Amino acid sequence: MPTYYERLKARLTEELLGQVFRFCSQLEGRIDHTELATPLSFNHFLGREKGDFMSLAHTPQRFALRDLGAHTHVPGLLLTGQDVASAGVSGAIMGGVVAASAALERDALEDLAAG
């Protein structure tokens, strides 16, 4: 009998696929395999019991760090990704904007807003 976690992953997979088919109906019946991973999955396979699997832990201390940003102590080396700006996918996107702004020496977000 599947565990609660396995049932939850199956339900989430169905819901996500429903959204995929809603926007890309031509894919229905053409997907041979799906695999949904959660932070619990990553921690299980990595043998981790604490922390996050791909970034700094999302704690109040993490968001209080002043050294996070695109600039480094190495001339010409800029950082990007979710830990540069904020957590998650939108944080990774904003990390790219922060790095682009640093490289271009102007506000790249204004460029995006202007179209």
Side-chain angles (χ1 to χ4, degrees):
M1 176 176 233
T3 65
Y4 172 79
Y5 178 65
E6 291 166 336
R7 291 191 310 273
L8 176 62
K9 280 179 51 170
R11 192 185 90 219
L12 290 172
T13 300
E14 286 179 34
E15 289 177 15
L16 289 169
L17 280 175
Q19 291 300 313
V20 168
F21 299 146
R22 181 175 154 214
F23 292 99
C24 302
S25 59
Q26 71 275 18
L27 294 177
E28 199 156 0
R30 295 175 181 245
I31 296 177
D32 293 326
H33 176 78
T34 61
E35 180 68 34
L36 177 75
T38 70
L40 291 176
S41 304
F42 283 95
N43 287 343
H44 169 77
F45 290 112
L46 293 173
R48 297 181 62 133
E49 294 180 15
K50 295 182 179 180
D52 286 350
F53 65 96
M54 291 198 304
S55 69
L56 299 172
H58 300 165
T59 63
Q61 293 81 10
R62 175 252 187 266
F63 291 102
L65 292 174
R66 298 274 183 224
D67 291 335
L68 294 179
H71 293 282
T72 68
H73 300 293
V74 178
L77 177 63
L78 298 171
L79 302 177
T80 188
Q82 72 177 18
D83 286 323
V84 167
S86 185
V89 173
S90 58
I93 292 168
M94 288 308 298
V97 172
V98 168
S101 296
L104 298 171
E105 297 181 347
R106 68 174 189 267
D107 187 352
L109 198 54
E110 285 183 8
D111 296 345
L112 292 173

